[in-house]
Structures are given as structure tokens and as C-alpha cells.
Amino acid sequence: MSHRILLLGAPGAGKGTQSAKLADEYGVEHVTTGDALRANKEMETEYGTPKSFMDAGELVPDPVVNEIVQAALDDADGFVLDGYPRNLDQAEYLSEITDLDAVILLDVDEEVLVDRLTGRRVCDDCGANYHVDFQPPEEAGVCDECGGELIQREDDTEETARERIQVFYDNTEPVVDHFRDEGVLVEVDGEATPDEVFDRISDVVES
């Protein structure tokens, strides 16, 4: 059976980690908005190609994003959707084009989110991710993979982290309400180890 799973959660909630584990466990595609746009940046829509907006440094409009995501879902034999929908219009569009088996919201306290985001370190050379508390490198400040320097990205400072979380709440609360009103939303406590959270998510998917 092919699963069609939507994972929602604020920055730092663990969507990327859990989506990748789900995709591997169930043999389905891990679909993110960014990957879908990059893979289909030349795709013609009535509003132009994603590339035309990306090259201009502009946000890709909802209708274009919607078409790209639909193309990615149509090509997938089951999927975990991560990073979409970001607003109510996108959520309503998604409900029209597919039937979701599970819509899961990872519930994590804001202070925990901030700790997770500000502790993240990224290799300046190969892009590998670490965390000072949860996934430290063998040698502080040095990438295990390539020996590159580990840096804190600008969007992982506390001020920026809190701004990103607030934007998520502002934009995505209507999305959460939409799926809650449809009776398909399940909230999962995301404040445990990744394996424990994965077990909770799997229970929802398989129920």
C-alpha cells in the first residue's frame, strides 16, 4: 500500500529528519517544495517558469508552486510531503488534488525549537548538518565528513529563529485549522528522541 503523508511542524520540529525516515521506511518519495521547484524549474505554467522567479530573487507565486507540487505528487507512488502547504490557499488546493492518508503535526514547545535551531551547525564545505547538543561532531567545529569548518547560519541565530517560528505560526495556523476541520489532523509530541518520535508517527500512519 502506498502511503500519502503530510508532515507539518515549525522550524526545528524535526520534519526533515522524520520525513526522510518515513520515506525510507515505507518506500515512498520525500517531496519538499524546494526540491520540487529545483527539479522542475524549467516547467512552463501559465504564470511562467519557476526559474524566472528564482533567478529574479522573487518568491515563486502560489499557482506556480501548486502546479509543481502536483506534478511531483503525480509522479510519486506514495509520498511524504514536507514544507507544503504553507498557507490556507495551498492547503485547500492540496485537498482538491489528493486524498491524504495521514496529516501529522509535530508539536514542540517554542523554547525547545529555539534551542534546536540555535544549536545547529553546518559544514561550510559539504553542507553536512550537526547540532552542538544532539549530534555533535567528533571534533568541535570540524566536519566529520570532510574536515571543513562548521558554522552557524545567519538564520540560526536566536533572533532569526524566533522570527521564523512566528512566521510559521502566523502562516500555518490556518493550514492546521483547515486539516483539523476536515477531521484528519493528528498531533504528535515531537519532544522526544528522533526514534521515539518516529515510532509515534508510524503508529499514526499505520492506524
Side-chain angles (χ1 to χ4, degrees):
M1 174 184 172
S2 292
H3 295 282
R4 298 180 299 276
I5 305 162
L6 170 60
L7 211 52
L8 300 170
K15 291 192 306 299
T17 298
Q18 297 299 335
S19 294
K21 287 169 72 74
L22 285 165
D24 185 55
E25 175 74 15
Y26 295 110
V28 296
E29 293 291 327
H30 179 192
V31 178
T32 72
T33 312
D35 288 347
L37 286 170
R38 284 187 288 272
N40 296 281
K41 62 184 178 182
E42 304 287 358
M43 180 173 147
E44 286 289 349
T45 74
E46 65 176 291
Y47 302 93
T49 65
K51 185 176 187 296
S52 62
F53 296 98
M54 295 159 76
D55 287 351
E58 299 173 1
L59 283 176
V60 181
D62 278 358
V64 178
V65 175
N66 289 343
E67 282 195 42
I68 296 300
V69 169
Q70 181 172 4
L73 299 188
D74 287 346
D75 287 343
D77 183 20
F79 57 82
V80 183
L81 190 51
D82 163 17
Y84 177 99
R86 293 180 181 270
N87 56 49
L88 182 56
D89 287 344
Q90 291 181 354
E92 291 174 341
Y93 181 83
L94 181 63
S95 291
E96 291 174 3
I97 64 171
T98 189
D99 292 321
L100 296 165
D101 300 318
V103 180
I104 298 166
L105 173 65
L106 293 176
D107 185 26
V108 180
D109 182 77
E110 182 173 337
E111 294 309 311
V112 176
L113 294 172
V114 171
D115 286 345
R116 288 180 178 180
L117 291 170
T118 56
R120 183 163 55 182
R121 298 293 183 269
V122 180
C123 177
D124 202 25
D125 291 333
C126 74
N129 280 274
Y130 299 87
H131 193 282
V132 294
D133 295 322
F134 310 124
Q135 192 182 358
E138 292 180 11
E139 181 181 347
V142 179
C143 176
D144 294 343
E145 303 294 327
C146 73
E149 179 188 2
L150 300 184
I151 61 171
Q152 183 183 49
R153 300 189 320 189
E154 287 185 10
D155 59 354
D156 288 338
T157 62
E158 180 174 348
E159 179 182 2
T160 307
R162 291 192 186 278
E163 288 175 1
R164 290 174 61 201
I165 293 166
Q166 189 57 51
V167 167
F168 169 81
Y169 289 145
D170 292 344
N171 291 344
T172 313
E173 196 60 42
V175 174
V176 172
D177 289 341
H178 168 78
F179 290 111
R180 185 178 284 123
D181 291 345
E182 288 197 338
V184 295
L185 183 80
V186 178
E187 296 189 38
V188 167
D189 182 356
E191 292 184 28
T193 67
D195 286 345
E196 289 171 328
V197 174
F198 180 73
D199 287 342
R200 294 170 184 172
I201 294 172
S202 295
D203 287 344
V204 174
V205 172
E206 295 172 12
S207 64

